[in-house]
Amino acid sequence: MSLRSGVATFAGKSSYWFLHTFLHGGSSLPGKITLKLDPQILRSLGAKYDVIVITGTNGKTLTTALTVSVLHEKYPTILTNPTGSNMEQGIVTTFLNAKNPKTGRPLAVLEVDEANVIKVTQYIEPKAFVFTNIFRDQMDRYGEIYTTYQKILDGVALAPNATIIANGDSPIFNSKELPNPIQYYGFDDQPDSDFKAKPNTDGVLCPNCQHILHYHTLTYSNQGKYFCPNCGFKRPELTYRLTQLGTQTPTSSQFDIDGHAFKITVGGTYNIYNALAAYAVGRFMGVTPEQIAHAFTANEQVFGRQEVIDVNGKRVTIILVKNPVGLDQVLHMIGTDPQPFSFVGLLNANYADGIDTSWIWDGDFEQLADSNIPTFITGGERYKDITFRLKVAGVPDDKHIVEPSLEKVVDRIQEVPTDRVYVLATYTAMLQLRKILASKGFIKEGLGV
Amino acid sequence: MTYELNVAHLYGDLMNTYGDVGNILALNYYAKQMDVHLNVQVVSLEEDFHAADYDLAFFGGGQDFEQTIVAKDIQTKKAELIKFIESGGPLLAICGGYQLLGHYYIGADGEKLPGIGALDHYTLAQDHNRFIGDIVIKNQETGETYHGFENHQGRTFIGKGERPLGNVVSGKGNNGEDGTEGAIYKNVYCSYFHGPILTRNGDIAKHLLVAALKRKFPNDDFSQQEALPIPATF
């Protein structure tokens, strides 16, 4: 380590100690200070580590946590970054906080924002990249899926020897010739047929000849065993295959990968993709399927995002929604609940929610109207938008309570005829709701995602 | 239902940003209340559009890349689309769809891409800027106020044969200069509004549906449909 890097590291570490000790914070400021003193600090900080970079639109956080669990089965020391610290400063802070490893070459598993991949690869050549998926994010005001992927590839271009472990069901990850070794994972549990994705799906053009892709099988959005009837472009051979999909509920999923049975304590097909990605990294790093199965069941806390809150006897599950693909997946997931439930939709349009509410029309709320949900409640600052969305979806007025005030939404939740209640909320609506639940004593803390 | 209308969802699998499909859902919602059944069909790449087959058309906005592909393909549908428009066919075009009905637009990389010139507008680009935010306009002829969310890099200038969909009350509109938003030509309604436009402005959905009904069933009385109350949704 150069003198400059040494000084910068010391300054960053001291600032972390100060912030952590006196202000109970400090996730990106130490990184900021260190970067100011030595912009190339990652070169010296990261040199000791084998780095695995996980990037993509959805699923980065859970894939990272699961991958860490899986790799812990074989590797004792793994450095990883906390949620939300996936930009350059947060990553520098993560390295600064690490204790010096005593023996061997430790691993670092890093969740990295798509546009920040290049800020890592400028200084560190990762051992592997994991690409989860690229979807249109309503928060992404300029981004298109192609420009987002290009940003990732700009970073990957600086690390041509790193192995790419990519979601093989996503056509975009097969659209460019790359020098890197590539392994794909995907779903392979259905017999082949021939159809197109539903009209309102993003990214269905063949990257070779710009005809509309067809599918032999499809999981959701534009992901599946795609092929182009015009030029023969098709899904690549999978290295890691989901061979059977078992029972799914909102709190559990059973499935086989490469013939081995797995269970995770979280619902949603999107989370099976996250598990598949973690499995792929584990296998790539020499972890056995038995160890991976153990990691999936032994670390339930990594799925801790969907907590159930007891509101006067109602089992209330709050789920954050932020983009159409995620929304559709959540709607599908709650539909797998074998018990009856009521539905609450809370919509805000502050900056952190996305200021344009148009995206709710890309979500398939129609599937809710077709199920046997006895009560719907809509609220939040943009309650009119979400209310009309449900009306158009076919939710009848006599089952639909419109309640702009979140205080009153909490009262209404206690009156629904079901024990279970699913609350889908945008970011600031969720924070507001949690604050109210905390003030009424239903949860301890007002914050936390 | 007593009436049936055939709706062409132009390039619905490629031009589908920002919830624009909600316009089809809203059309369906109001059509049901008018005793009308809609048959919606996506008409996409290398598929024929025959003007005589459709009573109503919707053309949404798309990502830059998809729009360049559509800009090429739509030339093969140009004659029939013009025939549909000139014969009074009702059409709603949003954002990229709006641009492609005009003479040309400037693509993301600065390239000038031809539209079909069915309507007399053209679209320029702006450097490193987009018009993003809530927008309110007022139509001077009907007195109706429309609400939307705009998000566009293109700056569109309407031509002599076109009237604006409305005058900007707040927001940027077509180009941020002349105070107009959108365009109306015959029964074609164009706009940059997302939201989507028909979910917040049911009156426009009603205008489109009534125009389609009158055109397809010229001898029937649609005064009941025209009287359908549209409660505010926004």
Side-chain angles (χ1 to χ4, degrees):
Chain A
M1 191 176 278
S2 68
L3 181 61
R4 181 176 190 171
S5 299
V7 170
T9 303
F10 176 75
K13 281 197 183 224
S14 329
S15 74
Y16 178 82
W17 172 81
F18 176 82
L19 289 163
H20 193 74
T21 308
F22 297 105
L23 302 172
H24 307 291
S27 69
S28 71
L29 189 59
K32 194 173 176 181
I33 292 167
T34 312
L35 278 168
K36 264 261 185 302
L37 293 169
D38 180 2
Q40 302 204 6
I41 188 67
L42 269 181
R43 195 186 302 281
S44 47
L45 288 179
K48 293 192 280 267
Y49 292 83
D50 277 338
V51 175
I52 295 169
V53 165
I54 295 173
T55 192
T57 310
N58 289 346
K60 285 190 287 283
T61 303
L62 189 56
T63 299
T64 302
L66 267 178
T67 301
V68 169
S69 294
V70 164
L71 294 177
H72 259 310
E73 297 284 323
K74 183 172 174 188
Y75 302 89
T77 319
I78 301 172
L79 180 66
T80 189
N81 49 341
T83 308
S85 300
N86 61 13
M87 310 249 204
E88 189 181 15
Q89 293 170 5
I91 291 161
V92 170
T93 306
T94 299
F95 280 109
L96 283 174
N97 294 348
K99 295 193 177 70
N100 273 332
K102 292 196 179 73
T103 52
R105 196 171 162 77
L107 284 173
V109 179
L110 302 175
E111 166 190 342
V112 181
D113 167 81
E114 298 92 303
N116 279 264
V117 172
I118 194 165
K119 302 204 170 147
V120 172
T121 56
Q122 269 174 340
Y123 308 114
I124 297 172
E125 173 143 11
K127 189 175 177 65
F129 293 101
V130 179
F131 298 166
T132 61
N133 50 58
I134 299 181
F135 294 125
R136 192 191 295 155
D137 194 334
Q138 57 99 13
M139 303 290 292
D140 236 350
R141 289 172 187 89
Y142 303 87
E144 306 204 351
I145 58 170
Y146 311 103
T147 47
T148 305
Y149 185 45
Q150 192 53 53
K151 278 178 194 160
I152 293 175
L153 290 186
D154 290 346
V156 171
L158 302 178
N161 299 314
T163 298
I164 294 170
I165 298 169
N167 179 347
D169 289 349
S170 178
I172 199 163
F173 294 140
N174 189 21
S175 65
K176 295 269 169 74
E177 285 289 330
L178 302 172
N180 304 59
I182 304 186
Q183 300 188 337
Y184 289 103
Y185 60 86
F187 276 53
D188 207 8
D189 63 317
Q190 298 287 326
D192 282 2
S193 50
D194 180 353
F195 55 94
K196 289 191 210 176
K198 64 177 183 167
N200 200 37
T201 304
D202 201 12
V204 294
L205 278 176
C206 170
N208 277 349
C209 72
Q210 285 81 49
H211 284 67
I212 306 277
L213 291 173
H214 285 222
Y215 286 84
H216 290 307
T217 64
L218 190 146
T219 53
Y220 64 89
S221 187
N222 68 338
Q223 301 182 128
K225 192 174 178 185
Y226 58 83
F227 68 101
C228 176
N230 186 60
C231 77
F233 176 76
K234 61 178 188 192
R235 183 175 77 172
E237 279 301 314
L238 300 178
T239 314
Y240 310 105
R241 298 156 59 240
L242 184 129
T243 41
Q244 192 173 334
L245 186 57
T247 311
Q248 290 181 277
T249 75
T251 52
S252 70
S253 311
Q254 290 174 298
F255 50 87
D256 292 0
I257 305 175
D258 298 337
H260 306 283
F262 294 94
K263 186 180 178 191
I264 54 177
T265 53
V266 67
T269 306
Y270 57 102
N271 282 321
I272 300 179
Y273 270 107
N274 296 335
L276 196 46
Y279 169 91
V281 179
R283 298 295 290 135
F284 172 70
M285 296 296 291
V287 184
T288 66
E290 292 71 28
Q291 289 173 313
I292 295 170
H294 175 259
F296 283 174
T297 47
N299 296 282
E300 288 193 17
Q301 71 283 359
V302 305
F303 304 115
R305 222 169 184 180
Q306 281 158 28
E307 112 203 66
V308 178
I309 298 163
D310 184 336
V311 179
N312 264 347
K314 303 293 180 194
R315 288 167 47 86
V316 179
T317 307
I318 305 176
I319 306 172
L320 175 71
V321 289
K322 55 178 186 171
N323 58 29
V325 173
L327 172 64
D328 267 0
Q329 279 296 293
V330 167
L331 291 172
H332 174 261
M333 179 186 73
I334 65 176
T336 61
D337 196 327
Q339 301 296 321
F341 61 87
S342 300
F343 177 88
V344 182
L346 305 178
L347 182 67
N348 280 1
N350 298 306
Y351 189 78
D353 305 292
I355 57 173
D356 178 10
T357 61
S358 302
W359 65 280
I360 61 172
W361 293 87
D362 285 320
D364 185 16
F365 286 99
E366 278 69 11
Q367 61 185 295
L368 288 181
D370 298 338
S371 59
N372 289 322
I373 301 170
T375 306
F376 294 83
I377 302 173
T378 46
E381 291 163 11
R382 295 299 287 268
Y383 71 96
K384 286 184 182 172
D385 289 326
I386 187 67
T387 297
F388 191 59
R389 178 69 193 92
L390 291 194
K391 245 183 219 297
V392 169
V395 172
D397 289 352
D398 60 349
K399 289 183 178 177
H400 189 169
I401 299 165
V402 180
E403 192 57 83
S405 142
L406 298 191
E407 287 269 352
K408 289 185 181 152
V409 165
V410 173
D411 296 340
R412 295 303 193 112
I413 283 173
Q414 298 170 53
E415 298 161 6
V416 300
T418 56
D419 288 340
R420 296 186 182 205
V421 181
Y422 287 100
V423 179
L424 274 56
T426 58
Y427 187 71
T428 68
M430 185 189 69
L431 293 187
Q432 291 164 1
L433 181 70
R434 289 187 65 96
K435 205 171 168 187
I436 292 164
L437 290 171
S439 74
K440 291 179 188 283
F442 295 122
I443 46 175
K444 287 204 180 81
E445 295 288 328
L447 289 172
V449 180
Chain B
M1 307 238 180
T2 312
Y3 296 101
E4 266 192 41
L5 293 173
N6 296 322
V7 180
H9 188 182
L10 295 168
Y11 303 97
D13 46 6
L14 297 173
M15 302 291 277
N16 54 20
T17 47
Y18 303 116
D20 277 356
V21 72
N23 290 308
I24 296 284
L25 301 175
L27 270 179
N28 227 343
Y29 175 79
Y30 290 113
K32 269 188 218 158
Q33 297 176 27
M34 293 180 170
D35 198 19
V36 177
H37 176 78
L38 299 184
N39 304 311
V40 181
Q41 195 175 354
V42 172
V43 182
S44 190
L45 301 180
E46 296 179 350
E47 291 170 349
D48 288 335
F49 173 84
H50 295 297
D53 292 347
Y54 297 99
D55 310 306
L56 191 69
F58 170 64
F59 194 2
Q63 302 192 81
D64 291 335
F65 177 64
E66 274 79 359
Q67 191 172 331
T68 61
I69 304 299
V70 171
K72 276 182 221 150
D73 185 86
I74 198 173
Q75 303 305 331
T76 66
K77 301 178 175 66
K78 176 176 171 172
E80 285 292 308
L81 279 169
I82 290 175
K83 197 198 252 181
F84 181 78
I85 290 168
E86 287 300 320
S87 64
L91 192 164
L92 173 68
I94 301 298
C95 205
Y98 173 22
Q99 296 173 353
L100 287 172
L101 293 185
H103 295 296
Y104 62 86
Y105 79 100
I106 309 295
D109 51 4
E111 192 189 354
K112 182 172 167 177
L113 293 158
I116 58 168
L119 272 65
D120 196 18
H121 55 261
Y122 62 94
T123 302
L124 306 177
Q126 49 185 335
D127 287 337
H128 308 296
N129 188 40
R130 289 178 79 87
F131 296 142
I132 300 175
D134 289 311
I135 173 165
V136 180
I137 63 171
K138 186 165 183 176
N139 183 296
Q140 301 300 335
E141 291 160 51
T142 62
E144 288 164 354
T145 297
Y146 303 134
H147 297 268
F149 188 95
E150 60 182 333
N151 184 349
H152 55 111
Q153 198 211 11
R155 293 181 300 129
T156 298
F157 296 86
I158 59 176
K160 278 192 199 121
E162 297 172 288
R163 292 120 62 208
L165 178 64
N167 291 93
V168 176
V169 177
S170 63
K172 298 291 184 187
N174 278 331
N175 48 51
E177 292 170 25
D178 64 15
T180 66
E181 202 295 315
I184 300 177
Y185 171 74
K186 297 200 173 203
N187 282 324
V188 181
Y189 291 77
C190 299
S191 177
Y192 273 111
F193 277 27
H194 299 291
I197 188 168
L198 297 186
T199 69
R200 294 187 186 172
N201 308 285
D203 286 314
I204 300 175
K206 188 162 94 172
H207 297 323
L208 288 161
L209 289 165
V210 168
L213 288 168
K214 286 183 170 173
R215 181 167 171 264
K216 188 172 190 182
F217 309 100
N219 301 319
D220 289 22
D221 172 29
F222 292 107
S223 51
Q224 233 181 327
Q225 278 79 0
E226 286 181 89
L228 179 78
I230 307 282
T233 58
F234 182 73

